[in-house]
Amino acid sequence: MELGSKLRTRVLKLRSFRRHMAIAVHTSFETVRLNFTRAVLASMSRNHPIPSGRTMSRKRPVGSAKRTRTARSFEQPKKTKVVLLACGSFNPITNMHLRMFELARDHLEDTGQYEVVQGILSPVGDGYEKKGLIEASHRGEMAKLAAESSSWIGVDTWESRQANWLETVKVLRHHRQELLSREPDTDVVGTAKAGRKRKRMDASSATKRRKLEEGPPQRSDEPRLMLLCGADMLDSFGVPGLWKPEDIEEIVSSYGLVCITRGGSDPEAFIQGSDLLWPHRHNIHVVREWVANDVSATHIRRALRRGHSVRYLLPDPVLGYIQERGLYTTE
């Protein structure tokens, strides 16, 4: 019994000794490891000091930086700059003509794809010979007076100064060339070089002549020219013999159309039913005017002939111009 008791005591002491030794070895190892780490950090701080106010952090994975740059590139997509061109009689210009520009700009910029940078009013020339059309000089001056209240809408009288009436597509080509001429390092159609090239072309090649008139392809950084019109112009595309099919296709494919609706019009149905317009439907922007406004120049001319008030239908400077010169008193 005594021998067994002594044996158990020794076994217990041996186990206790081993446990203490293991704890001592582990503690010593941790101490050595901690001291080694401190020595390495001290050496690094002497050779590569860390700027004050900054702490060491884990290195970002290479892929994360790439993902961050990619994400930022989608945050602010580059918007296409747009110039809106409105062609018409403006006989006389009304508040609704100016309102069309504001509606079109809001619609395009709300898509997040466009930035409207300029609006252009282009009165038709005297060669149009429409009944009741007063001289282009008067209509151009009234348009300028109306545009004075806008910071981004202006008037271009190039079309009105032409001796003969011009198709709308030719006016678009002219203004696109004007936009190109403002851009640096641009070979503008109409230079002497382009003129020599046109003379060398075969007179029987109508396709080549047309491409030369249309100008060079649209550049990605070039402001885009769009035709601004009312629903009545869009409806006129369906009048037989009024428009050349190739002109309509060039307008809606190469430029684009912004159409402001009017009461009783259904541009979507017209586009749906047109085999010519349907392939370019994504280039036709239909803008709905939810505030009904059927003011037309025809109604205003009639009211002026009858001596009725048209105030608040026209810009005040335009009304003053008409009254001072006695315009629209007779048909």
Side-chain angles (χ1 to χ4, degrees):
M1 291 291 294
E2 185 178 354
L3 180 60
S5 176
K6 289 181 179 181
L7 183 60
R8 283 196 299 272
T9 301
R10 287 185 179 182
V11 170
L12 291 174
K13 288 182 178 181
L14 181 60
R15 287 179 178 175
S16 177
F17 175 76
R18 287 179 177 177
R19 187 166 58 252
H20 287 298
M21 285 296 295
I23 293 173
V25 169
H26 179 73
T27 303
S28 300
F29 177 76
E30 288 296 323
T31 302
V32 171
R33 190 165 68 89
L34 182 59
N35 291 337
F36 177 77
T37 302
R38 287 174 177 173
V40 171
L41 292 175
S43 176
M44 291 176 61
S45 64
R46 287 194 299 268
N47 296 329
H48 304 284
I50 301 175
S52 60
R54 297 182 60 180
T55 58
M56 294 184 63
S57 60
R58 290 187 302 170
K59 186 176 180 180
R60 191 193 319 181
V62 176
S64 65
K66 187 175 182 180
R67 287 194 298 271
T68 302
R69 288 194 297 269
T70 304
R72 287 176 181 173
S73 65
F74 286 102
E75 288 176 2
Q76 296 180 345
K78 187 175 181 180
K79 296 181 181 180
T80 301
K81 293 183 178 180
V82 172
V83 175
L84 295 171
L85 173 67
C87 300
S89 301
F90 304 114
N91 187 40
I93 190 169
T94 70
N95 287 332
M96 189 57 195
H97 289 131
L98 300 176
R99 177 72 182 148
M100 288 172 61
F101 281 93
E102 298 292 337
L103 291 168
R105 182 172 69 167
D106 286 345
H107 176 84
L108 292 176
E109 293 190 346
D110 282 348
T111 65
Q113 301 176 24
Y114 304 101
E115 178 189 0
V116 179
V117 296
Q118 185 183 5
I120 303 174
L121 290 158
S122 179
V124 72
D126 293 333
Y128 189 46
E129 296 181 350
K130 183 180 179 180
K131 183 180 179 181
L133 187 69
I134 66 171
E135 292 85 352
S137 58
H138 287 311
R139 291 182 286 110
E141 286 301 318
M142 288 189 289
K144 290 177 181 178
L145 289 171
E148 284 180 352
S149 61
S150 174
S151 61
W152 65 283
I153 304 172
V155 180
D156 190 291
T157 59
W158 176 82
E159 181 185 1
S160 64
R161 288 184 279 105
Q162 304 307 303
N164 299 317
W165 171 75
L166 296 175
E167 293 93 339
T168 301
V169 71
K170 292 183 179 179
V171 181
L172 283 164
R173 291 172 190 165
H174 165 79
H175 284 285
R176 186 187 171 195
Q177 292 176 8
E178 287 293 307
L179 290 175
L180 284 172
S181 66
R182 301 177 194 173
E183 300 295 320
D185 303 325
T186 301
D187 185 13
V188 182
V189 175
T191 60
K193 181 178 179 180
R196 290 194 298 269
K197 183 177 180 181
R198 186 179 293 109
K199 290 179 181 179
R200 290 195 300 267
M201 293 177 64
D202 185 0
S204 64
S205 180
T207 303
K208 290 182 179 180
R209 287 199 305 270
R210 185 173 189 81
K211 287 183 177 180
L212 184 60
E213 290 176 352
E214 293 174 5
Q218 178 102 19
R219 299 198 319 268
S220 59
D221 60 338
E222 172 192 335
R224 184 173 181 183
L225 183 65
M226 291 187 180
L227 180 64
L228 174 62
C229 70
D232 53 346
M233 176 181 282
L234 184 67
D235 292 339
S236 72
F237 286 169
V239 178
L242 187 60
W243 291 82
K244 297 176 183 176
E246 58 269 25
D247 287 356
I248 296 175
E249 186 170 11
E250 182 179 341
I251 290 171
V252 295
S253 63
S254 299
Y255 298 95
L257 199 66
V258 184
C259 176
I260 311 298
T261 63
R262 251 181 168 176
S265 64
D266 192 352
E268 289 91 349
F270 183 79
I271 296 169
Q272 173 73 27
S274 172
D275 291 336
L276 186 60
L277 298 178
W278 179 251
H280 309 288
R281 61 192 180 279
H282 300 300
N283 213 19
I284 303 174
H285 303 269
V286 176
V287 184
R288 294 209 167 270
E289 168 60 290
W290 299 110
V291 179
N293 190 336
D294 292 330
V295 174
S296 70
T298 302
H299 297 157
I300 289 175
R301 290 196 302 272
R302 183 185 302 120
L304 288 169
R305 288 197 303 271
R306 296 174 180 178
H308 296 165
S309 173
V310 293
R311 194 175 183 189
Y312 308 120
L313 299 179
L314 309 175
D316 285 343
V318 174
L319 180 57
Y321 185 94
I322 293 173
Q323 292 172 341
E324 288 175 6
R325 290 160 180 79
L327 303 177
Y328 302 112
T329 55
T330 58
E331 188 172 358

